[in-house]
Amino acid sequence: MSAHETITVELGERSYPIVIGRGLLGGNFAVSHYVRGTDCLVVSNETVAPLYLDKLLPNLDSRTVHSIAITDGEAFKTLATVQEILDELVRTGLARDTTVIALGGGVVGDIAGFAAACYMRGVAFVQVPTTLLAQVDSSVGGKTGVNHAHGKNLIGAFHQPQLVLIDTDTLNTLDERELGAGLAEVIKHGAICDPAFFDWLEQNVQALLDRDPDALAHAIRRSCEIKAEVVAEDEREAGRRAILNFGHTFGHAIERCQGYGEWLHGEAVAAGMIMAAELSGRGSNDVCRLRDLVAAARLPVEPPSIEREDWLAAIGMDKKVQRKKLRFVLLERLGKAFTTTDYDDARLQRLIGSNA
Ligand SMILES: NC(=O)c1ccc[n+]([C@@H]2O[C@H](COP(=O)([O-])OP(=O)(O)OC[C@H]3O[C@@H](n4cnc5c(N)ncnc54)[C@H](O)[C@@H]3O)[C@@H](O)[C@H]2O)c1
Ligand SMILES: [Zn+2]
């Protein structure tokens, strides 16, 4: 048994462990313990399955393992792909006690989780995230879903997993840009909740870029702890969970205006966090520290050039709702975020105008 750490997402009877360690795939952690029935369906994609499906099989020992590899890419995060998975579940005749196992990044996790939420009104679900973003963010918290032609993540359900299994060794095959995109969400967790973690990130960002296993394990563990705590307090995002969207209003706008895929989500969030810190009206020291950390992580510190009108439309402030006050996540200080509709409108206008 290899060394691993466990964090619990405390949600009453829906509580579940996040298990983090090196070399957990290959039989070093019995996922089968979390598989109630005899069968499971592993959902992966054409990139990740050849790398890790065989490694996952020993973790499922005596179970009957079915698998499906979906096409790689955010463009396939659609209802049509969910249908493919449901067809496979039905075709194979899998019963109510089946477990769906997501093996891949956030796209696979979101789609497989939604299919699990839908099949027979909800079957068990396990996340085996293989990107840094999925390990520190998307695999924890129970949000599942797919995109609609008119917007990202418009169709979905809350469906908590039974287990999140994070083998940090899977990051060794991840490309550098994807690693960086995950780091943006790690930095976000420090910025919104934990000044000491933010300090630690400033000291250790190079080790993270070098994929130092101990540094990665610490960053993943602390991120999961923060996300688990916020989710436990506000599972359905009635309030506090919204702070996890720090940098995301601007980030989503960047993704939308650039066409999805041009900028990775984490890259857009990186630049978006700096804009949100500026909107917070924090002393320049906090903004500088955030900017320096984002730059040290080799992430963009400036948004791309976007016309003011496009910004306004993309953040949901088009002409029809001109006077509408948006809700932003702002920093009270580095390490403490809050949500508000009471932001400085002149500052917002300057932020988006100066980039036209
Ligand atoms: N549910 C949530 O709470 C939540 C939160 C944040 C993001 N998301 C969603 O997550 C998605 C983004 O996830 P992502 O950044 O992981 O992207 P992704 O799933 O597209 O993965 C990025 C790329 O890396 C590949 N890959 C995955 N693991 C690999 C590995 N170990 N080695 C080599 N290649 C690997 C994938 O095949 C893909 O090509 C978005 O759809 C976003 O909406 C969901
Ligand atoms: Zn995000």
Side-chain angles (χ1 to χ4, degrees):
M1 201 78 188
S2 64
H4 63 260
E5 298 179 79
T6 302
I7 295 161
T8 305
V9 185
E10 302 283 359
L11 289 168
E13 58 188 18
R14 280 173 292 105
S15 296
Y16 56 93
I18 305 167
V19 179
I20 305 168
R22 294 186 69 183
L24 292 178
L25 297 184
N28 287 319
F29 185 90
V31 177
S32 54
H33 184 66
Y34 296 83
V35 176
R36 281 174 299 172
T38 51
D39 293 78
C40 54
L41 176 70
V42 178
V43 178
S44 190
N45 73 17
E46 60 201 7
T47 306
V48 179
L51 292 170
Y52 297 111
L53 181 57
D54 282 349
K55 289 207 168 103
L56 176 62
L57 297 180
N59 300 68
L60 294 161
D61 55 37
S62 59
R63 307 300 152 152
T64 307
V65 181
H66 311 266
S67 68
I68 178 171
I70 61 178
T71 313
D72 194 354
E74 179 79 30
F76 298 92
K77 198 173 124 175
T78 58
L79 276 179
T81 307
V82 173
Q83 178 79 55
E84 266 180 53
I85 297 168
L86 294 174
D87 288 348
E88 184 66 19
L89 285 159
V90 173
R91 200 184 57 74
T92 318
L94 295 183
R96 178 77 191 79
D97 61 2
T98 297
T99 300
V100 172
I101 302 178
L103 174 68
V107 169
V108 164
D110 279 11
I111 298 174
F114 187 56
C118 295
Y119 189 55
M120 297 190 173
R121 299 192 186 85
V123 297
F125 176 45
V126 167
Q127 289 264 25
V128 185
T130 60
T131 63
L132 183 59
L133 182 130
Q135 294 181 354
V136 300
D137 190 352
S138 63
S139 67
V140 175
K143 282 191 183 176
T144 74
V146 296
N147 302 327
H148 183 273
H150 290 289
K152 271 195 74 173
N153 299 326
L154 283 186
I155 302 154
F158 284 95
H159 190 58
Q160 299 290 349
Q162 251 64 39
L163 164 73
V164 181
L165 182 68
I166 300 177
D167 182 343
T168 55
D169 283 348
T170 58
L171 299 179
N172 291 333
T173 53
L174 193 63
D175 82 39
E176 213 159 277
R177 228 181 129 191
E178 296 290 352
L179 188 82
L183 276 183
E185 304 283 2
V186 173
I187 293 170
K188 177 192 78 180
H189 289 132
I192 61 173
C193 273
D194 187 345
F197 184 45
F198 194 90
D199 295 347
W200 182 90
L201 287 169
E202 289 177 321
Q203 302 302 317
N204 291 278
V205 60
Q206 190 55 48
L208 292 168
L209 290 171
D210 295 341
R211 303 183 200 219
D212 175 275
D214 294 332
L216 280 171
H218 179 74
I220 293 165
R221 180 182 60 237
R222 193 62 202 118
S223 282
C224 286
E225 282 168 356
I226 289 168
K227 183 149 187 194
E229 188 227 290
V230 172
V231 166
E233 219 175 276
D234 177 21
E235 186 182 4
R236 300 239 161 183
E237 200 169 317
R240 182 158 188 251
R241 183 165 178 171
I243 65 170
L244 295 170
N245 298 328
F246 177 60
H248 280 61
T249 302
F250 296 116
H252 285 147
I254 293 169
E255 287 181 278
R256 202 161 155 184
C257 293
Q258 292 302 106
Y260 291 104
E262 270 296 307
W263 281 48
L264 295 180
H265 173 72
E267 294 168 341
V269 167
M273 286 193 292
I274 296 171
M275 295 180 76
E278 283 172 346
L279 182 61
S280 307
R282 294 293 310 142
S284 54
N285 188 38
D286 277 1
V287 179
C288 282
R289 282 181 66 192
L290 184 60
R291 184 187 295 267
D292 288 350
L293 180 54
V294 165
R298 300 194 206 124
L299 286 160
V301 292
E302 300 280 351
S305 169
I306 295 171
E307 297 290 335
R308 191 170 169 280
E309 290 306 312
D310 294 337
W311 267 124
L312 288 174
I315 62 178
M317 261 192 143
D318 47 9
K319 292 199 181 70
K320 280 169 278 172
V321 286
Q322 227 163 28
R323 286 292 125 218
K324 187 176 112 186
K325 274 281 191 178
L326 295 173
R327 179 164 288 278
F328 277 100
V329 185
L330 301 183
L331 293 182
E332 189 180 310
R333 56 183 155 74
L334 261 185
K336 193 167 194 327
F338 65 104
T339 65
T340 183
T341 53
D342 187 20
Y343 54 87
D344 184 334
D345 196 48
R347 198 178 286 136
L348 174 65
Q349 299 299 332
R350 274 200 304 280
L351 271 171
I352 60 176
S354 60
N355 290 302

Coordinates of all heavy atoms in Angstrom, one line a residue, residues 75-122:
A75 N -15.4 20.5 -26.9 CA -16.4 20.6 -28.0 C -17.4 19.4 -27.9 O -18.5 19.4 -28.4 CB -15.8 20.6 -29.4
F76 N -16.9 18.3 -27.2 CA -17.7 17.1 -27.1 C -18.4 17.0 -25.8 O -19.0 16.0 -25.4 CB -16.9 15.9 -27.4 CG -16.4 15.9 -28.8 CD1 -15.1 16.4 -29.1 CD2 -17.2 15.4 -29.9 CE1 -14.7 16.5 -30.4 CE2 -16.7 15.5 -31.2 CZ -15.5 16.0 -31.5
K77 N -18.3 18.1 -25.0 CA -19.0 18.1 -23.7 C -20.5 18.5 -24.0 O -20.9 19.6 -23.7 CB -18.3 19.1 -22.7 CG -18.7 18.9 -21.3 CD -17.9 19.7 -20.3 CE -18.8 20.6 -19.5 NZ -18.0 21.4 -18.5
T78 N -21.2 17.5 -24.5 CA -22.5 17.8 -25.0 C -23.5 16.7 -24.6 O -23.1 15.6 -24.2 CB -22.6 17.8 -26.6 OG1 -22.1 16.5 -27.0 CG2 -21.7 18.9 -27.1
L79 N -24.8 17.0 -24.8 CA -25.8 15.9 -24.5 C -25.6 14.7 -25.4 O -25.9 13.6 -25.0 CB -27.2 16.5 -24.7 CG -27.8 17.3 -23.5 CD1 -29.2 17.9 -23.9 CD2 -27.9 16.4 -22.3
A80 N -25.1 14.9 -26.6 CA -24.9 13.8 -27.5 C -23.9 12.8 -26.9 O -24.1 11.6 -27.0 CB -24.4 14.3 -28.9
T81 N -22.9 13.3 -26.2 CA -21.9 12.4 -25.6 C -22.5 11.7 -24.4 O -22.3 10.5 -24.2 CB -20.6 13.2 -25.2 OG1 -20.2 13.9 -26.4 CG2 -19.6 12.3 -24.7
V82 N -23.4 12.4 -23.7 CA -24.1 11.8 -22.5 C -24.9 10.7 -23.1 O -25.0 9.6 -22.5 CB -24.9 12.9 -21.8 CG1 -25.8 12.2 -20.7 CG2 -24.1 13.9 -21.1
Q83 N -25.6 10.9 -24.2 CA -26.4 9.9 -24.8 C -25.6 8.7 -25.2 O -26.1 7.5 -24.9 CB -27.1 10.5 -26.1 CG -27.9 9.5 -26.9 CD -29.3 9.4 -26.2 OE1 -30.0 10.3 -26.0 NE2 -29.7 8.1 -25.9
E84 N -24.4 8.9 -25.7 CA -23.5 7.7 -26.0 C -23.3 6.9 -24.8 O -23.3 5.6 -24.8 CB -22.1 8.2 -26.4 CG -21.9 8.4 -27.9 CD -20.5 8.9 -28.2 OE1 -19.5 8.3 -27.6 OE2 -20.4 10.0 -28.8
I85 N -23.0 7.6 -23.7 CA -22.7 6.8 -22.4 C -24.0 6.1 -21.9 O -23.9 5.0 -21.5 CB -22.2 7.8 -21.3 CG1 -20.9 8.4 -21.8 CG2 -22.0 7.1 -20.0 CD1 -20.4 9.6 -21.0
L86 N -25.1 6.8 -22.0 CA -26.4 6.2 -21.5 C -26.7 5.0 -22.4 O -27.1 3.9 -21.9 CB -27.5 7.2 -21.6 CG -27.4 8.3 -20.6 CD1 -28.5 9.4 -20.8 CD2 -27.4 7.8 -19.1
D87 N -26.4 5.1 -23.7 CA -26.7 4.0 -24.6 C -25.8 2.8 -24.2 O -26.3 1.6 -24.2 CB -26.3 4.4 -26.1 CG -27.3 5.3 -26.7 OD1 -28.4 5.5 -26.1 OD2 -27.0 5.9 -27.8
E88 N -24.5 3.1 -23.8 CA -23.6 2.0 -23.4 C -24.2 1.3 -22.1 O -24.1 0.1 -22.0 CB -22.2 2.6 -23.2 CG -21.2 1.5 -22.9 CD -20.9 0.6 -24.0 OE1 -21.2 0.9 -25.2 OE2 -20.3 -0.5 -23.7
L89 N -24.6 2.1 -21.2 CA -25.2 1.6 -19.9 C -26.4 0.7 -20.2 O -26.5 -0.4 -19.7 CB -25.6 2.7 -19.0 CG -24.4 3.5 -18.3 CD1 -24.8 4.8 -17.8 CD2 -23.8 2.6 -17.1
V90 N -27.3 1.2 -21.1 CA -28.5 0.4 -21.4 C -28.1 -0.9 -22.2 O -28.6 -2.0 -21.9 CB -29.5 1.3 -22.2 CG1 -30.6 0.4 -22.7 CG2 -29.9 2.4 -21.4
R91 N -27.3 -0.7 -23.2 CA -26.9 -1.8 -24.1 C -26.2 -2.9 -23.3 O -26.5 -4.1 -23.5 CB -25.9 -1.3 -25.1 CG -25.7 -2.2 -26.4 CD -24.7 -1.6 -27.3 NE -23.4 -1.5 -26.7 CZ -22.6 -2.5 -26.4 NH1 -22.9 -3.7 -26.7 NH2 -21.4 -2.3 -25.8
T92 N -25.4 -2.6 -22.3 CA -24.7 -3.6 -21.5 C -25.7 -4.1 -20.4 O -25.4 -5.1 -19.7 CB -23.5 -2.9 -20.8 OG1 -22.8 -2.1 -21.8 CG2 -22.5 -4.0 -20.4
G93 N -26.8 -3.5 -20.3 CA -27.8 -4.0 -19.3 C -27.4 -3.7 -17.9 O -27.6 -4.5 -17.0
L94 N -26.7 -2.6 -17.6 CA -26.2 -2.4 -16.3 C -27.3 -1.9 -15.3 O -28.2 -1.1 -15.7 CB -25.0 -1.4 -16.3 CG -23.8 -1.9 -17.1 CD1 -22.7 -0.9 -17.0 CD2 -23.3 -3.2 -16.6
A95 N -27.2 -2.5 -14.1 CA -28.3 -2.3 -13.2 C -28.1 -1.1 -12.3 O -27.2 -0.3 -12.4 CB -28.4 -3.5 -12.3
R96 N -29.1 -0.9 -11.4 CA -29.2 0.3 -10.5 C -27.9 0.4 -9.6 O -27.6 1.5 -9.2 CB -30.5 0.1 -9.7 CG -30.7 1.1 -8.6 CD -31.3 2.4 -9.2 NE -31.3 3.5 -8.2 CZ -30.3 4.2 -7.9 NH1 -29.1 3.9 -8.4 NH2 -30.4 5.1 -7.0
D97 N -27.3 -0.7 -9.4 CA -26.1 -0.7 -8.5 C -24.8 -0.6 -9.2 O -23.7 -0.9 -8.7 CB -26.1 -1.9 -7.5 CG -26.0 -3.2 -8.3 OD1 -25.9 -3.2 -9.6 OD2 -26.0 -4.3 -7.7
T98 N -24.9 -0.1 -10.5 CA -23.7 0.1 -11.2 C -22.9 1.3 -10.7 O -23.6 2.2 -10.2 CB -24.1 0.4 -12.7 OG1 -24.7 -0.8 -13.2 CG2 -22.9 0.8 -13.6
T99 N -21.6 1.4 -10.9 CA -20.9 2.6 -10.6 C -20.2 3.1 -11.8 O -19.6 2.3 -12.6 CB -19.8 2.2 -9.5 OG1 -20.4 1.7 -8.3 CG2 -19.0 3.5 -9.2
V100 N -20.4 4.4 -12.1 CA -19.8 5.1 -13.2 C -18.5 5.7 -12.7 O -18.5 6.3 -11.6 CB -20.7 6.2 -13.8 CG1 -19.9 7.0 -14.9 CG2 -21.9 5.5 -14.4
I101 N -17.4 5.4 -13.3 CA -16.1 5.9 -12.9 C -15.5 6.8 -14.0 O -15.3 6.4 -15.1 CB -15.1 4.7 -12.7 CG1 -15.7 3.8 -11.6 CG2 -13.7 5.2 -12.2 CD1 -14.8 2.6 -11.3
A102 N -15.2 8.1 -13.6 CA -14.7 9.0 -14.6 C -13.2 9.0 -14.5 O -12.6 9.2 -13.4 CB -15.2 10.4 -14.3
L103 N -12.5 8.7 -15.6 CA -11.0 8.7 -15.6 C -10.6 9.7 -16.7 O -10.6 9.4 -17.9 CB -10.6 7.3 -16.0 CG -9.1 7.1 -16.3 CD1 -8.3 7.2 -15.0 CD2 -8.8 5.7 -16.9
G104 N -10.2 10.9 -16.2 CA -9.8 11.9 -17.1 C -9.8 13.3 -16.5 O -9.8 13.4 -15.3
G105 N -9.8 14.3 -17.4 CA -9.8 15.7 -16.9 C -11.2 16.1 -16.6 O -12.1 15.3 -16.4
G106 N -11.4 17.4 -16.4 CA -12.7 18.0 -16.0 C -13.8 17.7 -17.0 O -14.9 17.6 -16.6
V107 N -13.4 17.6 -18.3 CA -14.5 17.4 -19.3 C -15.1 16.0 -19.1 O -16.3 15.8 -19.0 CB -13.9 17.5 -20.7 CG1 -14.9 17.0 -21.8 CG2 -13.6 19.0 -21.0
V108 N -14.2 15.0 -19.0 CA -14.7 13.6 -18.7 C -15.5 13.5 -17.4 O -16.5 12.9 -17.3 CB -13.5 12.6 -18.7 CG1 -13.9 11.3 -18.1 CG2 -13.0 12.4 -20.1
G109 N -14.9 14.2 -16.4 CA -15.6 14.2 -15.1 C -17.0 14.8 -15.1 O -18.0 14.2 -14.6
D110 N -17.1 15.9 -15.8 CA -18.4 16.6 -15.8 C -19.5 15.8 -16.6 O -20.6 15.7 -16.2 CB -18.3 18.0 -16.5 CG -17.8 19.0 -15.6 OD1 -17.3 18.7 -14.5 OD2 -17.8 20.2 -15.9
I111 N -19.0 15.2 -17.7 CA -19.9 14.4 -18.6 C -20.3 13.1 -17.9 O -21.5 12.7 -17.8 CB -19.3 14.1 -19.9 CG1 -18.9 15.3 -20.7 CG2 -20.2 13.2 -20.8 CD1 -18.1 15.0 -22.0
A112 N -19.3 12.4 -17.4 CA -19.6 11.1 -16.8 C -20.4 11.3 -15.5 O -21.4 10.5 -15.3 CB -18.3 10.4 -16.4
G113 N -20.2 12.3 -14.8 CA -21.0 12.6 -13.6 C -22.4 12.9 -13.9 O -23.3 12.4 -13.2
F114 N -22.6 13.6 -15.0 CA -24.0 13.9 -15.4 C -24.7 12.6 -15.9 O -25.9 12.4 -15.6 CB -24.0 15.0 -16.5 CG -25.4 15.5 -16.8 CD1 -26.2 16.0 -15.8 CD2 -25.9 15.4 -18.1 CE1 -27.5 16.4 -16.1 CE2 -27.1 15.9 -18.5 CZ -28.0 16.3 -17.5
A115 N -24.0 11.8 -16.7 CA -24.6 10.5 -17.1 C -25.0 9.7 -15.9 O -26.0 9.1 -15.8 CB -23.6 9.8 -18.0
A116 N -24.1 9.7 -14.9 CA -24.4 8.9 -13.6 C -25.6 9.5 -12.9 O -26.4 8.8 -12.3 CB -23.1 8.9 -12.7
A117 N -25.7 10.8 -12.9 CA -26.9 11.5 -12.3 C -28.2 11.1 -13.0 O -29.2 11.0 -12.3 CB -26.7 13.0 -12.2
C118 N -28.1 10.9 -14.3 CA -29.3 10.6 -15.1 C -29.7 9.2 -15.1 O -30.9 8.9 -15.1 CB -29.1 11.1 -16.5 SG -28.8 12.9 -16.7
Y119 N -28.7 8.3 -15.2 CA -29.1 6.9 -15.4 C -29.8 6.3 -14.2 O -29.4 6.4 -13.1 CB -27.8 6.1 -15.6 CG -28.0 4.6 -16.1 CD1 -28.8 4.3 -17.2 CD2 -27.5 3.6 -15.3 CE1 -29.0 3.0 -17.6 CE2 -27.7 2.2 -15.7 CZ -28.5 2.0 -16.9 OH -28.8 0.7 -17.2
M120 N -31.0 5.8 -14.5 CA -31.9 5.3 -13.5 C -32.1 6.3 -12.3 O -32.1 5.9 -11.1 CB -31.4 4.0 -13.0 CG -31.4 2.9 -14.1 SD -31.1 1.3 -13.4 CE -31.4 0.3 -14.9
R121 N -32.1 7.6 -12.6 CA -32.3 8.6 -11.6 C -31.1 8.7 -10.7 O -31.2 9.2 -9.6 CB -33.6 8.5 -10.8 CG -34.8 8.6 -11.7 CD -36.1 8.8 -10.9 NE -37.2 8.7 -11.8 CZ -37.8 7.5 -12.1 NH1 -37.3 6.4 -11.6 NH2 -38.8 7.5 -12.9
G122 N -30.0 8.2 -11.1 CA -28.8 8.4 -10.3 C -28.1 7.1 -9.8 O -28.7 6.4 -9.0

